[in-house]
Amino acid sequence: MTRPLSRGRGGGSALLALVLALAAVLFGSAPVPAAAGGPWWEPVSRPAADSQINVTGAPFTGTDARGKVRGFVDAHNHLMSDEGFGGRLICGRTFSEAGAADALKDCPEHYPDGSGALFENITGGADGHHDPVGWPTFKDWPAHNSLTHQQNYYAWVERAWRGGQRVLVNDLVTNGLICSILPRDRSCDEMDSIRLQARKTYELQDYVDRMYGGPGKGWFRIVTDAAQARSVVEQGKLAVVLGVETSEPFGCKQILDVAQCDKADIDRGLDELYGLGVRSMFLCHKFDNALCGVRFDEGAVGTAVNIGQFLSTGTFWTTEKCAGPQHDNPIGLAAAPVMASKLPPGVSVPSYASDAKCNTRGLTRLGEYALRGMIDRGMMLELDHMSVKAAGRALDILESEEYPGVLSSHSWMDLDWTERLYRLGGFVAQYMHGAEGFVGEAGQKAALRAEYGVGLGYGTDMNGVGGWPGPVGTGAPNAVTYPFRSFDGGSVLDRQVTGQRVWDLNTDGAAHHGMVPDWIEQIRLTAGGPGVVDELASGAESYLTTWKATEDHEPGANLAAGAPASASSSEWNPFTGYAPGRAFDGDTGTRWASGWSDDQWLRVDLGSVRPVGRVVLDWERAYASRYRIELSENGTDWRTVWSTTTGDGGYDTAEFPSRSARYVRIHGEQRATKWGYSLHEVAVHRA
C-alpha cells in the first residue's frame, strides 16, 4: 500500500517516492528524506508510513517586548503510559523506529472485535466492542471517549507544538494493582515502570533528533532546570519536564495502615528520581498510601478505585466531616461489577454519610518527610489528588518554608486553595474540559490571576484514562472553521490527517494530542474565550517563573535549632521523654508535652539578641485553641507580638513586625483537648 508522504511535501522525484513507499510495504518503514536546506522546524527525514502534521508557517521564537516567553503549557500529560500498568493498558506506542504502522497497533487481546478489552469496556467508549485496527484506518480509535488507546503519538505532539504549545510535563505514571489484574508483559513494580518510562522519553528525544539531523537539533527537548527550559522556549521548541504520578512511589504503600517504606527508602527514591531528571511529583494518586490520603473519584470509576484500594491496602476509603469549606470529591457509589467480583466473599464497598465529605487520611509524618525532601532538592509538589486534609497540611508546610514550588495541574484541587497557592508563587492549570466548561472554570479565578499577574495552563491528561472534550457539531456557535491560524497568527492549521483518517474537532472531539490547537481555537470562538486564550499564551512564562523561584528558594535559618529550652511543665512518661528541648531538636518524631492544664508555656533562648519576625509551630493532636507568642530581651520583661483565639492545630505560622529578642515564649491560654499542649517542632526566623 502506498503511504502518503508526511505533510504533503515533495520527497525528491516521484520515482524515488514510489520506490520508498514500496520498500516500506515490503521491508518496513524507510525514512523519507526532505528537501535539502529546508527550514529548521522541518525534519530532514521522516518514516515513510507516518502521520501528517498539517501545519504550515514558522513556529514563533524569542520573547515579547517585555522579555517574556509566550506559549501554552500542557502541565499534565502521560507520553509513555503505554509502558506503564504492565504494558497493556494503553494500546499503541508513542513512537517506533519502524513508523506509525508499527507504533499504532491495538493490544493483542483487543482482537478481533474489541470484546476482550477489559478496561476499555468498563470505562466507556463503544458498546463493548471496537475495531482494533489502528493504522491506517483508525475507525474507532483514538477517540475522545476511548480511554485505552494511544493519544500521544509523537507526530500528534509535534502538531500541538507547531500550534503554540511550548511546555509539556510528562508525568511518568503507573499503578501496581491495575497492572496485576490486567494482561501484562512486564513487572508490576511501580518504580521499575517509572525508570522505563523515563528512559523511553529520552529515547523519544533521540528519535526526534535523528529526524532533524543529529543530537540537539530536534524540537523535543527534555529540560532539567528553568533556565534551560526558557532557552528552549525562546528557540521556539518544546520544553519537556519529567514528573511522577504513581500510587506507591518508592514502594510507599500501606497495608492495613502499616507503612511499607521508611525514611531511607524515601531518600533513595527522591535521589533516584532527581537523577532521572524528575522535577515535579505527586505524593499520592488514587489510593491512600503511606505518605498521604487521596481526593476521591466519583461515579463507577470511584467505586472501582475504592475497591482497588481495598485490594491493594486492605482498607476502603474512610470519611469524616470537613473542618473547613474545602471538601473532597463525592465518593463514587455506582456499581462496578467487574471490580466487585474481585472482592473476597462477604466483603462489599461500605456506605458513606452524606455530610462526611472529607478523607480521614491526611499527610502522614512520612509524607511530611518526603515533602521536605522535595523542598531540599528543589522539586515542585503536585497538590492535585491529595485529600483536603493532606493538601491543607502540605500548604501549611510550604507556607512555613515560604516555598513557591507547588502546582495544581488538572483540576483535582479544591478551588478554595487557589489563592494560597498563588500567594506562595505556584502555578495552576485546568483539566482539558470542553471549551465552554474550560472558559467557565477559568472565569471563577480570573480576578485572582489578574491580582497575582499569572497566566493559565491546561492539563490534557492524554493517555491518562480521563475522558476528553466531545464533538460540538459543525453547526455549533464555536465550531472551528478549517483552516485556521494559530493564536500568534504565524501558522496555518488544517484538519489533521493520519493514514486514511481525517480528524475534525467539530465531529471527532479531542481524540488525540494533535487536536490541542483546534481545541484552543474553539476556546477562542467561545463567549469569553479570547481573554482565556491570552492567559493561556502567558502560561509558559508563569510556569517557568514558578520553577525558577523554586530553584532560587533559600531556606531561612532557624534561630532556635538546638537552642536551650525550658517550660512551665513537661509530661512524664517512663518510656520516652517530653522535655522542652524536644521541640527544638529538628526531629518531627519527637515532641514537648506539657502538664494537663491551661496555663502553660514553652521558652527558647536564642543565645543573643536577634531580630525575630516569624515563628512556626508544628502542633501534635494536643494543641492550643488560644495562645500567644511573647518576646523578651532579658527573660523577665515580656511583650506579646502575636496571638490567636481560633487555633486549630496542625501548622501555625505566626508573622509579625520584626522585633529584637533573645527569648521567645509560646504561652498557652486554653487547651483544645483534655490533654495538655504538645509541639513537635518550633522554628524561629527573622522577618
CSV table of all heavy atoms in Angstrom, one decimal, residues 106-117 129-133:
chain,number,residue,atom,x,y,z
A,106,ASP,N,-3.2,-2.0,18.1
A,106,ASP,CA,-4.0,-2.3,19.3
A,106,ASP,C,-3.3,-3.4,20.1
A,106,ASP,O,-2.4,-4.1,19.6
A,106,ASP,CB,-5.4,-2.7,18.9
A,106,ASP,CG,-6.5,-2.2,19.9
A,106,ASP,OD1,-6.1,-2.0,21.1
A,106,ASP,OD2,-7.7,-2.1,19.6
A,107,CYS,N,-3.8,-3.5,21.3
A,107,CYS,CA,-3.3,-4.6,22.2
A,107,CYS,C,-3.8,-6.0,21.6
A,107,CYS,O,-4.9,-6.0,21.1
A,107,CYS,CB,-3.7,-4.4,23.6
A,107,CYS,SG,-3.0,-3.0,24.5
A,108,PRO,N,-3.0,-7.0,21.8
A,108,PRO,CA,-3.4,-8.3,21.2
A,108,PRO,C,-4.7,-8.8,21.7
A,108,PRO,O,-5.5,-9.3,20.9
A,108,PRO,CB,-2.3,-9.3,21.7
A,108,PRO,CG,-1.1,-8.4,22.0
A,108,PRO,CD,-1.7,-7.1,22.4
A,109,GLU,N,-5.1,-8.6,22.9
A,109,GLU,CA,-6.3,-9.1,23.5
A,109,GLU,C,-7.6,-8.3,23.0
A,109,GLU,O,-8.7,-8.7,23.2
A,109,GLU,CB,-6.3,-9.1,25.0
A,109,GLU,CG,-6.1,-7.8,25.7
A,109,GLU,CD,-4.6,-7.5,25.8
A,109,GLU,OE1,-3.7,-8.3,25.2
A,109,GLU,OE2,-4.3,-6.5,26.4
A,110,HIS,N,-7.3,-7.2,22.3
A,110,HIS,CA,-8.5,-6.4,21.7
A,110,HIS,C,-9.0,-7.0,20.4
A,110,HIS,O,-10.0,-6.6,19.9
A,110,HIS,CB,-8.1,-5.0,21.5
A,110,HIS,CG,-7.9,-4.2,22.8
A,110,HIS,ND1,-7.9,-2.8,22.8
A,110,HIS,CD2,-7.6,-4.6,24.0
A,110,HIS,CE1,-7.7,-2.4,24.1
A,110,HIS,NE2,-7.5,-3.5,24.8
A,111,TYR,N,-8.2,-7.9,19.8
A,111,TYR,CA,-8.6,-8.5,18.5
A,111,TYR,C,-9.5,-9.7,18.8
A,111,TYR,O,-9.4,-10.3,19.9
A,111,TYR,CB,-7.4,-9.0,17.8
A,111,TYR,CG,-6.6,-7.8,17.2
A,111,TYR,CD1,-5.6,-7.2,17.9
A,111,TYR,CD2,-6.8,-7.4,15.9
A,111,TYR,CE1,-4.8,-6.2,17.4
A,111,TYR,CE2,-6.0,-6.3,15.4
A,111,TYR,CZ,-5.0,-5.7,16.2
A,111,TYR,OH,-4.3,-4.7,15.6
A,112,PRO,N,-10.5,-10.0,18.0
A,112,PRO,CA,-10.8,-9.4,16.7
A,112,PRO,C,-11.8,-8.2,16.7
A,112,PRO,O,-11.9,-7.5,15.7
A,112,PRO,CB,-11.4,-10.5,15.8
A,112,PRO,CG,-12.1,-11.3,16.8
A,112,PRO,CD,-11.3,-11.2,18.1
A,113,ASP,N,-12.5,-8.1,17.8
A,113,ASP,CA,-13.6,-7.1,17.8
A,113,ASP,C,-13.7,-6.2,19.0
A,113,ASP,O,-14.7,-5.5,19.2
A,113,ASP,CB,-15.0,-7.8,17.6
A,113,ASP,CG,-15.3,-8.7,18.8
A,113,ASP,OD1,-14.4,-8.9,19.7
A,113,ASP,OD2,-16.4,-9.3,18.8
A,114,GLY,N,-12.6,-6.2,19.8
A,114,GLY,CA,-12.6,-5.3,21.0
A,114,GLY,C,-13.3,-5.8,22.2
A,114,GLY,O,-13.2,-5.2,23.3
A,115,SER,N,-13.9,-7.0,22.1
A,115,SER,CA,-14.7,-7.5,23.3
A,115,SER,C,-13.7,-7.9,24.4
A,115,SER,O,-14.2,-8.0,25.5
A,115,SER,CB,-15.5,-8.7,22.8
A,115,SER,OG,-14.8,-9.7,22.3
A,116,GLY,N,-12.5,-8.2,24.1
A,116,GLY,CA,-11.5,-8.6,25.1
A,116,GLY,C,-10.8,-7.4,25.8
A,116,GLY,O,-9.9,-7.6,26.6
A,117,ALA,N,-11.2,-6.2,25.5
A,117,ALA,CA,-10.6,-5.0,26.0
A,117,ALA,C,-11.3,-4.7,27.4
A,117,ALA,O,-12.2,-3.9,27.5
A,117,ALA,CB,-10.7,-3.8,25.1
A,129,HIS,N,-17.5,-3.3,22.2
A,129,HIS,CA,-16.7,-3.7,21.0
A,129,HIS,C,-16.1,-2.5,20.3
A,129,HIS,O,-16.6,-1.4,20.5
A,129,HIS,CB,-17.6,-4.4,20.0
A,129,HIS,CG,-18.3,-5.7,20.5
A,129,HIS,ND1,-19.4,-5.7,21.3
A,129,HIS,CD2,-17.9,-7.0,20.4
A,129,HIS,CE1,-19.7,-6.9,21.7
A,129,HIS,NE2,-18.9,-7.7,21.1
A,130,HIS,N,-15.0,-2.8,19.7
A,130,HIS,CA,-14.4,-1.7,18.8
A,130,HIS,C,-13.6,-2.4,17.7
A,130,HIS,O,-13.1,-3.5,17.9
A,130,HIS,CB,-13.6,-0.7,19.6
A,130,HIS,CG,-12.4,-1.2,20.2
A,130,HIS,ND1,-12.3,-1.6,21.5
A,130,HIS,CD2,-11.1,-1.4,19.7
A,130,HIS,CE1,-11.1,-2.0,21.8
A,130,HIS,NE2,-10.3,-1.9,20.7
A,131,ASP,N,-13.4,-1.6,16.6
A,131,ASP,CA,-12.5,-2.1,15.6
A,131,ASP,C,-11.0,-1.9,16.1
A,131,ASP,O,-10.6,-0.8,16.4
A,131,ASP,CB,-12.7,-1.3,14.3
A,131,ASP,CG,-11.8,-1.7,13.2
A,131,ASP,OD1,-11.0,-2.6,13.4
A,131,ASP,OD2,-11.9,-1.1,12.1
A,132,PRO,N,-10.3,-3.0,16.2
A,132,PRO,CA,-8.9,-2.9,16.8
A,132,PRO,C,-7.9,-2.3,15.8
A,132,PRO,O,-6.8,-1.9,16.2
A,132,PRO,CB,-8.6,-4.3,17.2
A,132,PRO,CG,-9.4,-5.1,16.2
A,132,PRO,CD,-10.6,-4.4,16.0
A,133,VAL,N,-8.3,-2.2,14.5
A,133,VAL,CA,-7.3,-1.7,13.6
A,133,VAL,C,-7.0,-0.3,13.8
A,133,VAL,O,-7.9,0.6,13.8
A,133,VAL,CB,-7.8,-2.0,12.1
A,133,VAL,CG1,-6.8,-1.4,11.1
A,133,VAL,CG2,-8.0,-3.4,11.9
